[in-house]
Amino acid sequence: MRVQFSVNGNEWAKLQQLANANGYPDVSSYCRDVALEERTYANMWKKIKDEIAKMPSGHGHTFALRELVQSPPANLGVKLFENQSALGIRVNSQKDSLHTNTYTKL
């Protein structure tokens, strides 16, 4: 099921600021958690950022999202892919044996 609503430019800017301030990678994840009174997405995103920050840099260490967060939702993988530069990672050209993207910390 899909839920949508419209906002003006000022409201969008406010939602972006609130999402960033609360540790979310995007507005839609923030709105979902606020509407459902859950904060799980932000916790998963924080864990991903913290785990990546602790990783050694270079080509020797590759990882998949499932190694950072157990049973991640699909849209979390999309956010990881979209935020590669902000997280200091890059997607590898080959997927793993489960056909999942793997990443390397730069």
Side-chain angles (χ1 to χ4, degrees):
M1 183 172 284
R2 183 180 189 100
V3 176
Q4 291 180 277
F5 63 97
S6 298
V7 295
N8 64 33
N10 290 336
E11 292 167 332
W12 178 250
K14 183 176 180 179
L15 285 171
Q16 288 178 312
Q17 187 274 326
L18 288 167
N20 288 335
N22 285 286
Y24 285 83
D26 58 42
V27 170
S28 60
S29 303
Y30 171 74
C31 289
R32 182 184 186 281
D33 281 1
V34 169
L36 296 175
E37 297 181 349
E38 295 176 353
R39 297 292 179 191
T40 56
Y41 201 98
N43 292 339
M44 286 187 284
W45 188 247
K46 181 179 181 335
K47 182 174 181 181
I48 288 168
K49 292 191 315 185
D50 291 348
E51 291 297 319
I52 290 172
K54 290 190 280 187
M55 287 179 189
S57 297
H59 298 288
H61 182 74
T62 62
F63 66 95
L65 176 58
R66 69 178 173 279
E67 296 171 30
L68 306 179
V69 176
Q70 185 179 11
S71 302
N75 63 343
L76 196 57
V78 171
K79 298 308 168 199
L80 183 64
F81 186 86
E82 291 174 345
N83 286 279
Q84 291 177 66
S85 61
L87 296 169
I89 60 174
R90 70 167 170 79
V91 68
N92 297 319
S93 59
Q94 291 194 337
K95 297 183 184 245
D96 66 9
S97 61
L98 297 175
H99 303 289
T100 305
N101 282 338
T102 60
Y103 297 86
T104 300
K105 183 171 178 184
L106 302 176

